[in-house]
């Protein structure tokens, strides 16, 4: 197509669609080439291009977009408009008096005067705003929907997708933040402040609330209300009978007693001879074992004596021997002698022991009953402590209180009020027997949270001005106390309580001390290398450990402006 049938219009970068339409609506050419620069306002939305296309199509004009803007090309193609990246011009021959190449002349300044014949005519028509244009297209779109037989083509306005716009907005914000994050170098100084244990001890009076109502109404800080709590604990326990009565037969046999000393050895009646397994045999009567003898050549031979022996009913562990005493030849020690003497004299059996028969029955003895009494009483004392704590927990739930039991055995009063078992229990033959017992327990309870509050408040006043208490280091588990005095008549118990916590230097920028510390750190490390800055900050008296991280990662120096430095506390 020749240049005579088209009109090329150059669009400004900030020119609105209404201004463009006003420029081209009265042009008589049927083909409009619209040259749009990159990032032109026209390419902000496909709606702009669709408006121009529809409006020019009503005037039987064809719109062609010429641009190198990729986004603009994409929007134009979506709107159904032809797109070119440059304007094509027809090749013409140069005049004979000029070279075939285009003659290039320098740009000359011309007077700012418009010839009279070229003076622009002022249009009598009113300019159409973008709002009026959109309203007109919406009206036509509704008419088109209600009357499909209308021969006049209607204009369709396409509303952009909200999701698409939101996606574009989020992507733009994210891109902006990413550019700012990369473009602005920053450094984060992670510091673990130096810390130390701190403790405080205070004397506190636990005042019985029934006897000290006037004192408690004064709300003195070191006076805490206390009260007496009591419970009754019962238990019926079955015990195993430990004692046994042997009614079997004891094994018997002969034993040779060997004496390697130079003196005769006198052994009394009933002297025990014991095996490695703890089986015990006894000689029925006393004997004298001869000493060792030497022959003419000087060779010594031990003195020996053979004696009858019988097994005990029970071994050293209290278990019946009976048939277990039928043992083969074995070596015996005399347990009543010292270790040294046991190497000088011992027993040996050259034949197996025989005749042992195992048979026994359980019998309840006085020792069994006394052991059961002691055990059930100890059990009840432990149970009574737990019952008191359980009772206090129930009181706390009911009254919304925070009582705890005073953990001191002097103030845990326990009384055994009942102990029962069968009258004919002792001497009876039974493997198990039953004992019933009842205990009354009484203790002192006080408000642990109030004691914790008093100690925490006192401890906070003892910290250094540039330090603070580490909150998670202060718990009720870190409190210890000891009773130092008691006035039973007035119902007052004096205790000395100690709380232990951790104080550390305050580097929190929200506090005065922390802000002052942060300013000092930033002033010292501006522009230093990471290694230099870490060494410098690490030597501060307030710092236990330091680590500096920069962004972007390839930055190896601290920023030169304080605003680019952030100070944080190490988490670990």
């Amino acid at each position: 197509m020749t240049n005579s049938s088209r009109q090329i219009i150059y669009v400004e970068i900030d020119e609105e669609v209404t201004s463009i339409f006003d420029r081209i609506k009265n042009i008589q050419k049927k083909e409009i080439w619209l040259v749009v620069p990159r990032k032109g306002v026209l390419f902000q939305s496909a709606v702009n291009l669709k408006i121009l296309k529809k409006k020019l199509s009503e005037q039987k004009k064809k719109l062609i977009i010429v641009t190198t803007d990729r986004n603009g090309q994409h929007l134009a193609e979506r709107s159904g408009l032809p797109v070119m990246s440059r304007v094509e011009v027809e090749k013409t021959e140069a005049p004979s008096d000029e070279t075939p190449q285009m003659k290039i002349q320098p740009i000359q300044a011309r007077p700012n005067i418009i010839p009279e014949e070229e003076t622009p005519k002022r249009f009598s028509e009113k300019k159409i705003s973008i709002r009026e244009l959109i309203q007109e297209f919406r009206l036509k779109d509704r008419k088109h929907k209600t009357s499909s037989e209308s021969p006049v083509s209607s204009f369709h306005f396409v509303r952009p997708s909200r999701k698409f716009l939101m996606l574009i907005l989020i992507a733009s914000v994210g891109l902006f933040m990413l550019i700012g994050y990369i473009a602005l170098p920053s450094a984060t100084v992670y510091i673990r402040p130096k810390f130390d244990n701190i403790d405080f001890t205070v004397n506190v009076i636990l005042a019985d609330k029934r006897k000290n109502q006037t004192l408690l109404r004064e709300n003195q800080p070191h006076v805490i209300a206390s009260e007496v709590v009591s419970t009754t604990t019962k238990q019926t326990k079955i015990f195993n009978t430990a004692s046994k009565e042997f009614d079997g037969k004891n094994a018997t046999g002969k034993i040779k007693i060997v004496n390697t000393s130079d003196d005769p050895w006198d052994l009394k009646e009933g002297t025990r001879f014991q095996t490695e397994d703890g089986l015990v045999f006894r000689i029925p009567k006393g004997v004298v074992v001869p000493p060792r003898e030497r022959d003419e050549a000087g060779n010594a031979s031990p003195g020996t004596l053979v004696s009858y022996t019988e097994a005990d009913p029970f071994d050293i562990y209290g278990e019946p021997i009976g048939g277990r005493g039928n043992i083969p030849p074995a070596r015996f020690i005399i347990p009543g002698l010292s270790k040294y003497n046991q190497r000088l004299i011992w027993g040996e059996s050259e034949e197996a022991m025989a005749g042992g028969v195992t048979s026994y029955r359980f019998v309840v003895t006085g020792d069994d009953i006394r052991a059961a009494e002691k055990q059930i009483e100890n059990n009840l004392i432990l149970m009574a402590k737990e019952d008191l704590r359980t009772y206090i927990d129930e009181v706390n739930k009911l009254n919304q209180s925070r009582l705890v039991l005073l953990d001191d055995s002097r103030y845990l009063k326990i009384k055994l009020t009942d102990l029962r078992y069968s009258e004919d229990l002792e001497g009876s033959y039974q493997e198990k027997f039953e004992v019933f017992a009842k205990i009354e327990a009484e203790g002192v309870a006080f408000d642990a949270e109030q004691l914790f509050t008093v100690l925490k408040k006192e401890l906070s006043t003892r910290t250094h001005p540039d330090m603070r208490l580490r909150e998670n280091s202060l718990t009720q588990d870190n409190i210890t106390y000891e009773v130092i005095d008691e006035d039973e008549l007035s119902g007052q118990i004096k205790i000395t309580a100690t709380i232990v916590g951790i104080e550390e230097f305050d580097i929190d920028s929200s506090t005065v001390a922390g802000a002052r510390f942060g300013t000092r750190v930033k002033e010292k490390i501006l522009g230093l290398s990471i290694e230099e800055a870490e060494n410098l900050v690490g030597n501060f008296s307030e710092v236990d450990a330091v680590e500096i991280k920069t962004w972007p990662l390839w930055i190896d120096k601290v920023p030169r402006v304080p605003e680019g430095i952030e100070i944080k506390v190490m988490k670990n």
Side-chain angles (χ1 to χ4, degrees):
M1 183 177 292
T2 62
N3 290 340
S4 60
S5 62
R6 69 184 181 186
Q7 179 70 40
I8 299 175
I9 303 296
Y10 292 90
V11 177
E12 299 293 334
I13 190 170
D14 58 348
E15 194 169 0
E16 299 284 348
V17 64
T18 52
S19 173
I20 298 172
F21 180 69
D22 287 340
R23 289 174 57 193
I24 64 178
K25 66 181 181 180
N26 293 319
I27 296 176
Q28 300 301 319
K29 301 290 180 67
K30 296 300 182 182
E31 188 172 299
I32 305 300
W33 290 49
L34 211 58
V35 181
V36 186
R38 294 180 63 185
K39 298 185 180 180
V41 172
L42 184 64
F43 292 148
Q44 285 186 348
S45 172
V47 176
N48 295 337
L49 296 173
K50 289 181 180 180
I51 289 174
L52 279 178
K53 178 184 177 184
K54 288 292 183 182
K55 203 66 180 174
L56 292 178
S57 64
E58 291 176 359
Q59 296 182 356
K60 308 300 182 183
K61 295 178 182 178
K62 182 179 180 181
L63 178 63
I64 299 173
I65 301 298
V66 181
T67 184
T68 58
D69 191 316
R70 291 186 178 276
N71 181 55
Q73 292 174 352
H74 175 67
L75 293 177
E77 290 174 355
R78 283 181 53 190
S79 303
L81 293 172
V83 184
M84 292 186 173
S85 59
R86 58 190 178 86
V87 178
E88 297 179 358
V89 296
E90 293 183 356
K91 192 172 182 180
T92 57
E93 293 183 2
S96 57
D97 58 343
E98 296 180 1
T99 62
Q101 297 179 352
M102 183 181 293
K103 184 177 181 181
I104 301 176
Q105 295 180 351
I107 298 176
Q108 297 180 357
R110 292 186 295 177
N112 191 15
I113 300 173
I114 302 175
E116 183 177 354
E117 63 275 7
E118 294 182 8
T119 302
K121 305 286 191 300
R122 185 176 298 275
F123 293 109
S124 61
E125 296 182 14
K126 180 184 176 182
K127 259 190 173 183
I128 302 176
S129 67
I130 185 67
R131 180 179 179 183
E132 293 172 339
L133 204 58
I134 292 174
Q135 288 177 347
E136 179 184 349
F137 292 153
R138 286 180 177 174
L139 181 63
K140 288 187 178 182
D141 187 53
R142 286 197 294 269
K143 289 181 179 180
H144 175 72
K145 288 180 180 178
T146 55
S147 178
S148 58
E149 297 180 356
S150 175
V152 181
S153 61
S154 60
F155 176 77
H156 295 277
F157 173 73
V158 181
R159 183 187 299 273
S161 170
R162 287 187 179 181
K163 291 183 178 179
F164 177 74
L165 292 177
M166 185 60 68
L167 182 63
I168 293 295
L169 178 61
I170 293 173
S172 301
V173 172
L175 183 60
F176 175 77
M177 294 177 65
L178 179 62
I179 293 173
Y181 191 49
I182 295 176
L184 301 176
S186 62
T188 303
V189 183
Y190 294 94
I191 293 176
R192 182 171 67 229
K194 276 189 178 176
F195 60 92
D196 196 4
N197 289 333
I198 182 174
D199 59 73
F200 180 71
T201 301
V202 64
N203 292 332
V204 177
I205 295 176
L206 305 181
D208 190 318
K209 64 181 183 181
R210 294 177 300 177
K211 299 179 180 180
N212 297 273
Q213 295 182 8
T214 303
L215 177 62
L216 292 172
R217 278 197 292 267
E218 296 175 1
N219 291 324
Q220 297 183 22
H222 293 173
V223 178
I224 298 175
S226 67
E227 59 182 278
V228 175
V229 292
S230 60
T231 59
T232 298
T233 303
K234 304 175 183 179
Q235 185 182 40
T236 299
K237 187 173 178 60
I238 296 176
F239 295 90
N240 292 322
T241 303
S243 301
K244 299 170 184 175
E245 186 178 90
F246 183 76
D247 60 357
K249 292 183 179 180
N250 296 324
T252 59
K254 292 181 179 180
I255 187 171
K256 183 175 72 172
I257 305 172
V258 180
N259 180 12
T260 61
S261 69
D262 293 328
D263 300 310
W265 212 294
D266 188 9
L267 297 178
K268 297 179 180 180
E269 176 186 343
T271 298
R272 292 173 296 157
F273 288 81
Q274 179 181 315
T275 67
E276 290 182 352
D277 298 332
L279 302 180
V280 177
F281 289 77
R282 296 177 187 266
I283 56 177
K285 58 183 180 179
V287 295
V288 177
V289 184
R292 66 179 178 178
E293 297 178 352
R294 294 183 182 274
D295 57 17
E296 296 177 354
N299 298 320
S301 58
T304 61
L305 183 145
V306 177
S307 175
Y308 175 80
T309 185
E310 182 178 349
D312 276 1
F314 299 95
D315 62 15
I316 61 174
Y317 306 109
E319 295 297 327
I321 294 178
R324 293 194 297 131
N326 303 327
I327 58 175
R331 181 184 174 98
F332 300 82
I333 65 170
I334 303 176
L337 299 178
S338 66
K339 293 292 184 182
Y340 175 77
N341 288 336
Q342 287 176 8
R343 292 194 293 269
L344 298 178
I345 185 169
W346 64 87
E348 295 176 354
S349 62
E350 297 179 348
E351 297 178 358
M353 303 292 182
V357 177
T358 302
S359 179
Y360 63 91
R361 54 183 175 174
F362 291 96
V363 58
V364 181
T365 65
D367 291 338
D368 292 328
I369 295 174
R370 285 187 290 274
E373 290 176 350
K374 185 65 175 177
Q375 185 176 346
I376 196 170
E377 186 176 359
N378 291 337
N379 287 347
L380 284 174
I381 291 173
L382 295 176
M383 291 173 60
K385 288 182 180 180
E386 292 304 317
D387 288 349
L388 282 172
R389 290 189 176 95
T390 302
Y391 171 74
I392 291 173
D393 289 341
E394 293 173 355
V395 171
N396 287 337
K397 290 179 182 178
L398 183 63
N399 300 332
Q400 298 296 312
S401 55
R402 297 159 295 188
L403 298 175
V404 296
L405 184 68
L406 178 63
D407 194 7
D408 192 309
S409 59
R410 290 174 292 177
Y411 301 95
L412 181 64
K413 300 176 182 178
I414 298 203
K415 181 180 179 182
L416 182 63
T417 59
D418 194 4
L419 180 65
R420 282 179 280 169
Y421 49 84
S422 301
E423 294 181 357
D424 58 350
L425 180 61
E426 187 173 356
S428 62
Y429 295 101
Q430 50 186 346
E431 293 186 22
K432 299 178 184 295
F433 61 95
E434 185 178 275
V435 177
F436 168 80
K438 181 171 69 173
I439 277 183
E440 291 182 357
E442 185 179 279
V444 176
F446 65 95
D447 192 331
E449 185 65 29
Q450 187 178 355
L451 176 63
F452 177 66
T453 302
V454 170
L455 291 171
K456 184 178 178 181
K457 183 178 180 180
E458 294 285 352
L459 187 63
S460 63
T461 62
R462 301 303 193 275
T463 57
H464 189 277
D466 291 338
M467 304 182 81
R468 66 178 181 181
L469 287 172
R470 189 181 294 176
E471 283 297 325
N472 58 8
S473 70
L474 297 178
T475 65
Q476 293 188 23
D477 294 335
N478 290 351
I479 297 177
T480 58
Y481 57 83
E482 181 182 356
V483 177
I484 57 176
D485 193 15
E486 178 187 15
D487 187 345
E488 189 172 354
L489 184 62
S490 63
Q492 295 180 8
I493 301 174
K494 189 175 182 179
I495 66 172
T496 176
T498 302
I499 186 171
V500 178
I502 295 176
E503 65 173 356
E504 61 186 4
F505 281 96
D506 190 358
I507 64 172
D508 187 352
S509 59
S510 63
T511 64
V512 175
R516 185 168 59 248
F517 170 79
T519 301
R520 186 156 57 94
V521 170
K522 292 178 182 180
E523 290 175 350
K524 295 291 185 180
I525 64 174
L526 292 176
L528 297 181
S529 68
I530 302 300
E531 183 178 359
E532 291 174 335
E534 287 181 343
N535 291 335
L536 180 63
V537 177
N539 289 326
F540 278 35
S541 60
E542 301 92 338
V543 177
D544 183 58
V546 61
E547 182 181 6
I548 300 178
K549 295 183 178 180
T550 58
W551 183 263
L553 299 177
W554 56 82
I555 300 297
D556 61 353
K557 288 188 176 182
V558 178
R560 296 184 178 275
V561 291
E563 290 75 13
I565 303 173
E566 184 179 9
I567 297 177
K568 291 185 177 181
V569 180
M570 277 188 184
K571 291 184 178 180
N572 297 325

